[in-house]
Amino acid sequence: MLTLGLLTATAALTIDMSLPAIPEMVRALATDLPRGQLIVGAFMLGMACGQIPAGLFSDRLGRMPVLYAGMSLFTLAATAAALAQSIELMLAARFVQGIGGASAVVLSRAIVRDIASGKSAARLMSLMTMIFTVAPVVAPTIGALMVAQWDWRAPFIAIAAGGAFMLI
């Protein structure tokens, strides 16, 4: 249940943990704030582009292979974002990260449908919704603490580590 909850919250955590890093990232990557804020849009565009293929491939190939592939892509792209030396690389990494992260959002719900029905499915979906609701509330605070303690790359490193953790 924890894994399904974390998969559901992947998008919210990824977006909201990175928000406090934007001002420092803008300075470090020598760009302007409007361009730096595109990391949110690039991720969301990737999520939009990745959801239908993730669902279709999981129906054809099975849930777990597609989930592993998507989360591997998410983790690799998150690592690239954490190491980015230019805003162009950051935006490309965030787009690819969104494509990979789409599998987590789509397949967590599909897996619930596969393994449960009735009250059991409703209970699982309620728990996943609760985690999804809490994630955007706590993620910016965690991201801000990381930026204050270390630097702007810390939330991106944590996102990559979270992707690796979910893979394991």
Side-chain angles (χ1 to χ4, degrees):
M1 289 194 318
L2 178 63
T3 303
L4 289 174
L6 288 173
L7 289 171
T8 301
T10 297
L13 288 170
T14 301
I15 292 168
D16 295 329
M17 275 183 72
S18 64
L19 292 177
I22 292 175
E24 292 295 321
M25 178 197 72
V26 164
R27 280 190 279 287
L29 298 181
T31 189
D32 58 6
L33 190 57
R35 188 114 191 247
Q37 291 172 338
L38 288 176
I39 66 168
V40 175
F43 180 80
M44 292 304 293
L45 183 60
M47 287 281 296
C49 292
Q51 289 183 26
I52 291 175
L56 293 174
F57 282 126
S58 75
D59 286 343
R60 168 77 74 190
L61 305 171
R63 307 286 187 231
M64 296 312 289
V66 175
L67 185 59
Y68 286 134
M71 289 310 294
S72 295
L73 184 64
F74 173 88
T75 303
L76 291 172
T79 303
L83 300 173
Q85 297 296 319
S86 70
I87 191 64
E88 292 80 18
L89 179 58
M90 173 63 83
L91 293 174
R94 292 288 285 191
F95 175 75
V96 173
Q97 190 180 15
I99 292 172
S103 68
V105 174
V106 170
L107 296 180
S108 61
R109 289 170 178 84
I111 290 169
V112 168
R113 189 190 67 217
D114 292 344
I115 64 172
S117 62
K119 288 183 181 182
S120 177
R123 192 174 311 116
L124 277 172
M125 287 302 289
S126 294
L127 177 65
M128 289 168 52
T129 301
M130 181 182 69
I131 293 171
F132 177 77
T133 304
V134 170
V137 175
V138 277
T141 304
I142 293 168
L145 289 171
M146 289 179 172
V147 170
Q149 183 66 34
W150 296 289
D151 72 350
W152 71 270
R153 294 183 190 277
F156 296 99
I157 293 168
I159 291 165
F165 174 75
M166 284 188 277
L167 271 170
I168 293 168

